[in-house]
Amino acid sequence: KQPGVEQIPFVMVQKPATSLLDQKSYAGDVQAKQQTALAFRVGGQIVERYVDTGDRVKIGQVLAKLDTTKLQSEVDSLRASLTIAKANQKESEVGLRSKKSIYDRTLKMYQSSNGKYPSINELDDTKFTYETAISNLDATKAKVEQAIYNLKTAQQNLDKAVVKSSIKGIVLNKEIEVGQTVAATMSTPTLFTLAKDLTLMDLIVSI
């Protein structure tokens, strides 16, 4: 080894021997070059599996589905909550217009009478009621925004209850059966392995 010179590892391959006694066998595995692993992104019980090992699939094709009873119920409940939140916002808007109208009339009378009528306390009361109505409207608007977010999240979870193929290819392996329960964890196990092109293969050999 020369100082400052990086040594590159290499394997020397000799011409295969013609004698059967000199031949050697090695354990290996043939794998598709382009593989895609798929899994559910939410937990639940698997109720449908539409493909098996060896089946060809298209982009967007549904491969399996979870029981969506609970997820659909949550979506329906949150949609109803959004409807109520919007109704409350509309009611607050009507209330705000009413309180503003009362305050404007009271202020106008107070100014036109040079502060003699109504009393300053009555004017302050109508102003306070008007400002409270503004705050109530802001609160109902925030609740509508929160309800929209909650519904969107629930709908996304419902959409995740199916596994769809992300490529056009073939199912190499499936680790999934109907009735199996999938846990909602960050390390969800691979349920399907797909290959895009079986004409491109890698030979993995242990020597």
Side-chain angles (χ1 to χ4, degrees):
K1 178 178 181 181
Q2 299 180 4
V5 178
E6 182 181 0
Q7 299 296 307
I8 301 176
F10 65 92
V11 177
M12 181 176 292
V13 180
Q14 296 180 345
K15 182 179 180 180
T18 56
S19 172
L20 293 177
L21 296 178
D22 294 330
Q23 293 181 0
K24 295 182 179 180
S25 298
Y26 299 97
D29 188 20
V30 177
Q31 298 179 357
K33 254 185 190 305
Q34 298 176 313
Q35 295 188 19
T36 300
L38 299 176
F40 285 109
R41 292 178 290 168
V42 292
Q45 186 178 39
I46 300 168
V47 294
E48 296 287 350
R49 176 173 58 79
Y50 302 104
V51 297
D52 208 338
T53 302
D55 288 350
R56 293 193 172 276
V57 294
K58 302 179 297 182
I59 295 177
Q61 180 177 339
V62 177
L63 309 182
K65 179 182 179 181
L66 295 176
D67 180 7
T68 59
T69 303
K70 184 177 180 180
L71 294 172
Q72 184 63 61
S73 176
E74 184 175 3
V75 168
D76 294 341
S77 175
L78 291 173
R79 185 175 287 115
S81 296
L82 176 58
T83 299
I84 294 173
K86 287 182 176 180
N88 289 338
Q89 178 181 335
K90 184 173 291 187
E91 183 178 349
S92 295
E93 290 171 349
V94 172
L96 176 59
R97 287 195 295 269
S98 174
K99 300 300 187 294
K100 183 178 185 305
S101 178
I102 294 173
Y103 171 66
D104 289 343
R105 289 200 307 269
T106 305
L107 178 61
K108 186 176 181 180
M109 286 189 293
Y110 182 81
Q111 291 174 337
S112 62
S113 66
N114 293 322
K116 296 179 181 179
Y117 180 83
S119 67
I120 186 64
N121 289 337
E122 290 178 300
L123 178 62
D124 288 342
D125 286 344
T126 58
K127 182 180 180 181
F128 175 77
T129 303
Y130 169 51
E131 291 175 343
T132 300
I134 294 176
S135 298
N136 289 340
L137 179 58
D138 290 340
T140 57
K141 286 181 177 179
K143 289 181 179 180
V144 168
E145 291 177 359
Q146 183 64 50
I148 291 173
Y149 173 80
N150 292 341
L151 177 58
K152 181 180 178 181
T153 301
Q155 185 62 59
Q156 288 174 342
N157 288 334
L158 179 61
D159 295 340
K160 292 175 184 177
V162 296
V163 173
K164 296 181 180 180
S165 175
S166 57
I167 63 172
K168 179 181 179 182
I170 189 169
V171 180
L172 288 182
N173 188 35
K174 55 95 180 171
E175 299 290 340
I176 176 177
E177 296 297 340
V178 174
Q180 179 180 343
T181 299
V182 180
T185 63
M186 294 299 292
S187 57
T188 304
T190 298
L191 302 179
F192 291 99
T193 302
L194 309 182
K196 188 172 183 180
D197 189 352
L198 292 182
T199 62
L200 300 175
M201 307 294 288
D202 283 333
L203 176 60
I204 311 299
V205 179
S206 299
I207 300 179

